[in-house]
Amino acid sequence: MAQVPQTFFDALAVRAWCGLALEALGRAREEIDAINVYPVADGDTGTNLYLTVESAAAAVEAVFEGHEAGAAAGTAPGTGPSLADAARAMAHGALIGARGNSGTILAQLLRGMAQVLAGDEAAAHADGQGLRQALRHAADSARQAVAHPVEGTVLTVASAAARAAADAEGDCGSVARAAYEGARVALAETPGRLPVLRRAGVVDAGGRGLVTVLAALVQTFTGETPRIPADPAGQQGGRVPRPLPEPDPGGTPGACTDTAAGPDHGAPTGPAFEVIYLLEADDEAVARLRRRLDALGDSLVVVGGDGLWNVHVHVDDAGAAVEAGVEAGRPYRIRITHFGAADVHTTGAGRPALPERPRRAVVAVVPGEGLAGLYAEAGATTVLARPGEPPASGELVQAVRRSGAHEVVLLPNDADLRHTAAAAADQARAEGLRVALIPTRSAVQGIAALAVHEPERRFDEDVVSMTSAAGATRYAEVTVAERQSWTMAGICQAGDVLGLIDGDVAVIGQEVAATASAVLDRMLAAGGEMVTLVVGDDAPDTVAAHLETRVREGYLAVDTVVYSGGHQGALLLIGVE
């Protein structure tokens, strides 16, 4: 659909730009994914940028729809949202929807622009001078968000765009065109600035995505679509001539030795997990968090402000990264991805392999940060379900895509999510993936299934084994009643401690330890060899030790394993195998 060129940068221009950028990234997504080798060759930069802009565009559309509904009801003026409203919505949408390293940086670029564009609440629009200032502030704020900037990345491309815009004169169209041209030239030069790109024969994938977004900005103001070369560096497919391997006796001259959203160049491989979460915290706590995460891993990018942040880091200890967030504030929408053998952290000393899809992955919904770390360490891609915030089918589909595997085992770990998970599985199958849904009703059943998962086994055999292990695990939880209610065990009052076995209330008590003991006794009366306890943050400190002692003294040959569940809703999850 033809777009009407915008003369000034107003709310309509924000809306048009987001829509055009989303369309352009949709067309370029596979190409960008294919050249993604830095900082991790996991082939998802194009997809992550697309999902980030999709979230930004949806937020802007919501603001327009809200104003239209208000105008129809007579509660809002019919002039539509202001530039400040639209710019802030764009930034917020990108922040909460940011995916991956490049998506997180793009979110900060958009936030930096919005801070300038929304600076004057009364301004109906910004002119060329305002756009120049917005691009400059965007580049600076994105660089500040990265723990250790590296040249030859999207940061370099953003800075080049800002410099070119600063030298331009005229209206928004002229400034946007200059920014695009500056970015395009800088992108072509990225292989000369980052040796890992030169050896792989590609330009920077994140930078390629930013050039696409800036091309959409040009189209917004001029109606013209700049032609992005199939290869910004002069060859086909975004690739540059591949040089012969260079000798590297103890280090490549000129190679970056710091990380910018990038790996430790002195190591043959990098961290095993990507951890991303939204965080509600104050500035002082986030400053401490940056230092803590910087010591834990690499590729650290923390973007946002005003109490809401998006945190991205690559680490070996995913649980520690999440725990650091818990100490800083309230982390949520936690996503932990295990890098497979094909997801190579590229270094200055080795030639990266081009990304290949792993054969099989497990995607699991988990109720708390502690379990998210546990599942991730076992190799699963996780989706966090906080109390009262169950994931939608779209989030599960995104997690399946994020796993990058041809074959996926989906563990919903909640009886109430069976329809949501089934819809997600159907959608993923329609995209050509092989997906098996194991109807796990509790995270402890998921733990049992994951324990017998063997990706080298035939898919059907693996699914049967995991399903059998989950089905052989009885599950229970201990929680607190929120209100008076009729249950299978009688009437409970608000504040009573409830023990649920296989989803039904079986015990009503006043103390957590006593109720949990009664639940455990009922479960073990039918036999069992292994007890799994997942303890929530709100449970009494002594309850795990009390139950371990009870099992050890009362049930011979029954083992107990205890995990920390974090903010998981229930005080305690119990599994008996």
Side-chain angles (χ1 to χ4, degrees):
M1 180 172 125
Q3 294 284 338
V4 177
Q6 304 296 313
T7 305
F8 296 104
F9 210 144
D10 57 9
L12 287 173
V14 173
R15 185 187 204 182
W17 181 32
C18 288
L20 291 169
L22 185 62
E23 292 175 8
L25 285 170
R27 293 190 297 269
R29 177 165 57 177
E30 291 185 3
E31 176 194 329
I32 297 171
D33 282 345
I35 63 172
N36 170 205
V37 299
Y38 182 86
V40 182
D42 52 356
D44 64 357
T45 292
T47 298
N48 288 336
L49 290 171
Y50 177 86
L51 292 172
T52 302
V53 174
E54 182 181 46
S55 182
V60 173
E61 285 301 317
V63 168
F64 272 86
E65 290 171 2
H67 271 261
E68 291 167 2
T75 59
T79 54
S82 66
L83 170 60
D85 290 337
R88 280 195 290 262
M90 173 185 71
H92 181 74
L95 177 67
I96 65 174
R99 299 290 193 275
N101 187 66
S102 293
T104 307
I105 293 174
L106 177 61
Q108 187 68 1
L109 287 168
L110 296 179
R111 176 179 170 81
M113 291 188 69
Q115 287 175 321
V116 174
L117 297 174
D120 184 353
E121 289 283 348
H125 62 259
D127 56 11
Q129 175 63 17
L131 180 54
R132 284 192 289 270
Q133 293 173 351
L135 290 168
R136 178 73 271 165
H137 186 63
D140 291 344
S141 61
R143 191 170 286 268
Q144 292 166 6
V146 175
H148 302 286
V150 163
E151 298 306 327
T153 65
V154 63
L155 298 177
T156 304
V157 177
S159 294
R163 286 194 301 271
D167 294 335
E169 297 181 357
D171 59 11
C172 288
S174 299
V175 174
R177 188 179 287 107
Y180 163 76
E181 290 295 338
R184 184 181 62 80
V185 171
L187 176 64
E189 296 172 351
T190 55
R193 308 195 71 167
L194 193 57
V196 69
L197 299 177
R198 184 175 68 250
R199 280 190 291 273
V202 297
V203 297
D204 180 66
R208 171 67 176 83
L210 179 58
V211 168
T212 301
V213 172
L214 291 173
L217 187 64
V218 174
Q219 186 179 359
T220 299
F221 293 116
T222 69
E224 303 169 2
T225 305
R227 180 181 175 276
I228 302 177
D231 174 357
Q235 303 294 320
Q236 289 298 314
R239 302 187 179 278
V240 296
R242 185 187 294 274
L244 294 174
E246 301 173 3
D248 187 12
T252 304
C256 298
T257 56
D258 213 355
T259 59
D264 179 354
H265 291 262
T269 59
F273 301 102
E274 177 185 59
V275 179
I276 305 174
Y277 49 80
L278 293 178
L279 177 70
E280 293 177 357
D282 59 36
D283 291 0
E284 186 176 331
V286 169
R288 293 193 299 270
L289 176 66
R290 287 179 191 269
R291 294 190 292 270
R292 172 87 178 273
L293 294 180
D294 195 23
L296 284 176
D298 62 40
S299 298
L300 174 60
V301 186
V302 181
V303 305
D306 302 320
L308 180 63
W309 309 82
N310 191 307
V311 179
H312 170 282
V313 68
H314 294 173
V315 294
D316 279 321
D317 189 343
V322 174
E323 288 170 8
V326 173
E327 292 176 5
R330 186 179 85 92
Y332 61 104
R333 291 196 185 179
I334 298 171
R335 297 188 297 276
I336 301 175
T337 304
H338 181 262
F339 293 126
D343 300 336
V344 179
H345 266 71
T346 53
T347 70
R351 176 188 293 256
L354 291 178
E356 296 179 4
R357 294 173 70 91
R359 179 186 171 197
R360 188 176 307 157
V362 175
V363 173
V365 180
V366 292
E369 297 89 349
L371 281 179
L374 173 67
Y375 271 74
E377 288 170 9
T381 297
T382 62
V383 178
L384 188 67
R386 299 190 66 84
E389 300 178 16
S393 62
E395 292 181 71
L396 300 186
V397 173
Q398 288 179 7
V400 170
R401 293 172 183 151
R402 194 168 73 244
S403 73
H406 292 287
E407 300 173 339
V408 177
V409 179
L410 182 57
L411 305 176
N413 290 340
D414 186 335
D416 292 335
L417 287 177
R418 60 188 184 279
H419 296 305
T420 300
D426 287 342
Q427 184 173 339
R429 292 179 189 122
E431 296 177 6
L433 301 179
R434 191 178 187 188
V435 180
L437 171 60
I438 297 178
T440 48
R441 301 166 67 88
S442 169
V444 291
Q445 289 188 322
I447 291 173
L450 200 55
V452 299
H453 169 54
E454 291 186 15
E456 300 307 316
R457 197 160 42 191
R458 286 180 57 245
F459 185 67
D460 291 339
E461 293 178 356
D462 197 29
V463 171
V464 168
S465 178
M466 295 176 71
T467 302
S468 177
T473 302
R474 283 161 287 150
Y475 63 95
E477 69 176 76
V478 177
T479 189
V480 175
E482 297 180 355
R483 57 185 179 275
Q484 184 186 60
S485 180
W486 289 86
T487 76
M488 296 288 290
I491 300 175
C492 71
Q493 304 295 329
D496 283 350
V497 181
L498 307 181
L500 291 81
I501 299 177
D502 293 336
D504 292 323
V505 175
V507 179
I508 300 174
Q510 301 302 313
E511 296 180 352
V512 175
T515 303
S517 296
V519 168
L520 191 56
D521 288 343
R522 290 196 183 195
M523 297 178 76
L524 287 173
E529 300 175 353
M530 169 72 75
V531 172
T532 300
L533 304 175
V534 183
V535 184
D537 284 350
D538 295 330
D541 293 338
T542 59
V543 68
H546 171 80
L547 295 177
E548 283 186 284
T549 299
R550 189 176 190 88
V551 172
R552 183 172 59 251
E553 294 178 352
Y555 302 92
L556 297 177
V558 177
D559 296 321
T560 304
V561 59
V562 180
Y563 300 112
S564 173
H567 299 289
Q568 64 181 17
L571 299 175
L572 182 69
L573 301 179
I574 303 174
V576 174
E577 302 174 50

